[in-house]
Amino acid sequence: MRICGVGDNVVDRYPQRGLMYPGGNALNVAVHAARLGADAGYLGVTGTDEAGAHIRAALAAEGVRTDRARTADGPNAYATVHLDADGNRSFGECDETVSVFAPDAADLAWLAGFDLLHTGDCSRLEPHLPALAAACPVSFDFSDRPWSYAAPLLPHVHGAVFSRPDAGDAEAAALAERIRQAGPKLAVVTRGAGGALVSYEGTVHHQRVVPVAATDTLGAGDSFIAALLVSLWQGSPLADAAARAARYAAEVCTSPGAFGHPLALPGSPARR
């Protein structure tokens, strides 16, 4: 499978640990897909500071193609992450800085060589979604956005991911059916500890979470969707693909950061 993450990248800053890690929805999906055997690429913009250089080094180490990725003057985008005692994360101050960009004709031509691209609401690529979809089928993470945000975008999307942690079975099933009727062949409704409901080409599957002693839940959803996309593309039945994705996401939760590669924060004790 050839898959490309398009859009957001950040360094996730953990002030409690004095460390930062590469992250961002589009970047995470690309890296986890590469780890799962896909031919993965990333298209986005990193900064010219140490954080941006660290992200580029991590992508190279993970074997993710970056033919069309570029840098822009300024600090890399970042997000501040706080963890509770159970490893659950919440976000503090964030800054997109240089990461927002508009794909050009050369980008679209390059993306046409992939089977699928993944982006989402954090990437600010909504105006360009029709052009992206014309180049390559799109997987889109809508996170917790409302239907009014999603409705005009769904006709351009092959796979749609929504986060509804408080949804019951009936509500999640109704949302998945509404997504399917809007156009996407794949609909995913993640529900935190309640697992995920996945609908693919008319088949619906309820996937339970795999219990794990979590160190850090950051990247759990991104790793789940990466594993699901790769498995489905490889021809796995829906139930098998979802189960593999749940196991993989649980494993990711046992390590810090979205996919590792720590770097000491400037001014932290680790720098002294």
Side-chain angles (χ1 to χ4, degrees), residues 36 186 188 198 223-233 238 241-242 245:
L36 290 159
L186 171 66
V188 181
V198 185
S223 58
F224 179 88
I225 192 61
L228 181 68
L229 293 172
V230 171
S231 296
L232 288 175
W233 212 270
L238 178 58

Side-chain angles (χ1 to χ4, degrees), residues 136-235:
C136 181
V138 174
S139 165
F140 196 100
D141 193 332
F142 291 89
S143 187
D144 58 357
R145 295 284 192 137
W147 187 259
S148 58
Y149 167 86
L153 304 178
L154 286 168
H156 305 291
V157 171
H158 171 85
V161 185
F162 284 73
S163 175
R164 295 292 187 269
D166 299 323
D169 290 350
E171 182 183 349
L175 176 57
E177 176 59 18
R178 194 178 186 188
I179 295 166
R180 187 191 68 79
Q181 291 181 2
K185 293 183 178 182
L186 171 66
V188 181
V189 183
T190 61
R191 299 184 292 160
L197 183 143
V198 185
S199 173
Y200 184 56
E201 296 185 332
T203 300
V204 178
H205 175 73
H206 294 258
Q207 178 60 48
R208 295 181 178 179
V209 299
V210 174
V212 67
T215 297
D216 187 349
T217 60
L218 185 68
D222 299 341
S223 58
F224 179 88
I225 192 61
L228 181 68
L229 293 172
V230 171
S231 296
L232 288 175
W233 212 270
Q234 291 173 341

Side-chain angles (χ1 to χ4, degrees), residues 36-66:
L36 290 159
D39 177 5
Y42 173 70
L43 169 58
V45 184
T46 53
T48 49
D49 60 351
E50 181 184 35
H54 185 60
I55 286 180
R56 295 190 293 275
L59 287 168
E62 295 288 345
V64 176
R65 290 197 279 143
T66 55

Side-chain angles (χ1 to χ4, degrees), residues 52-144:
H54 185 60
I55 286 180
R56 295 190 293 275
L59 287 168
E62 295 288 345
V64 176
R65 290 197 279 143
T66 55
D67 309 48
R68 294 294 306 166
R70 50 263 209 186
T71 60
D73 288 337
N76 204 84
Y78 69 86
T80 304
V81 182
H82 302 288
L83 295 176
D84 66 18
D86 296 321
N88 295 308
R89 52 97 178 116
S90 61
F91 289 104
E93 182 184 8
C94 301
D95 190 344
E96 295 173 336
T97 59
V98 302
S99 67
V100 179
F101 77 108
D104 61 25
D107 294 330
L108 296 173
W110 185 66
L111 289 170
F114 288 88
D115 299 310
L116 190 71
L117 70 84
H118 178 84
T119 189
D121 69 320
C122 292
S123 295
R124 307 292 185 257
L125 287 168
E126 293 90 344
H128 310 287
L129 196 56
L132 290 169
C136 181
V138 174
S139 165
F140 196 100
D141 193 332
F142 291 89
S143 187
D144 58 357

